Amino acid sequence: MDTNGIPSRLRAADTDRERVASLIQAAGGEGRLSLEEVEERLGTVYSTKYTDELEKLTSDLPKPVPKRRPVAFGHPAVRIHVAIAVVLSVLLIARWTVSGVPFFWPAMPMFWLAMSVLVHARVRGARRGFRRGDGVVVA
């Protein structure tokens, strides 16, 4: 135990072993490791007890780069469209507060402004090659 009461060596869970095994298999598939090295390291992975031993098995391999999600509102034309929709919405709300009408009539024009922005972002996303499961991320 170290000074904080946390064990200096943690036992490896099955998920830790599977993560390291997939990294080793990917490195073998890329040609970074020979078939014998992959088999040797996989044998060691599944017999390992502690996480620090798992880290040693992949220390000479490059770290995987996390995949970035596409940004649909990143295109300048879509950003301008969003800015115009926000300005128009603010003007509609100001007009509603001055008019004194009891119901919130700007809701419908604001809804259609939002729909136009979403459709524009979707079209720009389709042009960039987004797939259906990518989602929409605001930059």
Side-chain angles (χ1 to χ4, degrees):
M1 296 244 173
D2 64 1
T3 57
N4 297 334
I6 300 173
S8 57
R9 295 186 82 185
L10 294 175
R11 285 194 168 267
D14 288 338
T15 55
D16 297 328
R17 290 185 191 93
E18 289 299 323
R19 179 183 48 82
V20 172
S22 66
L23 288 173
I24 291 172
Q25 289 170 347
E30 294 172 352
R32 296 182 190 279
L33 298 174
S34 68
L35 185 58
E36 293 81 26
E37 287 176 310
V38 171
E39 289 176 3
E40 178 185 328
R41 289 187 189 201
L42 287 177
T44 307
V45 164
Y46 291 113
S47 65
T48 302
K49 286 187 178 182
Y50 298 104
T51 56
D52 60 337
E53 295 170 356
L54 288 175
E55 293 171 4
K56 293 175 186 174
L57 293 171
T58 59
S59 62
D60 62 339
L61 299 175
K63 303 297 180 219
V65 179
K67 294 182 180 178
R68 292 188 61 199
R69 293 184 62 181
V71 180
F73 292 138
H75 194 277
V78 178
R79 288 184 182 178
I80 291 170
H81 192 156
V82 169
I84 290 171
V86 167
V87 168
L88 287 174
S89 297
V90 168
L91 290 174
L92 287 170
I93 292 172
R95 176 87 186 246
W96 172 72
T97 55
V98 171
S99 69
V101 177
F103 63 92
F104 189 66
W105 59 265
M108 193 55 80
M110 289 171 59
F111 169 78
W112 290 113
L113 284 170
M115 288 296 106
S116 70
V117 168
L118 290 176
V119 167
H120 188 180
R122 180 76 175 175
V123 168
R124 287 289 178 177
R127 288 183 185 168
R128 285 185 172 183
F130 293 164
R131 282 172 249 95
R132 186 163 181 83
D134 288 341
V136 176
V137 179
V138 179

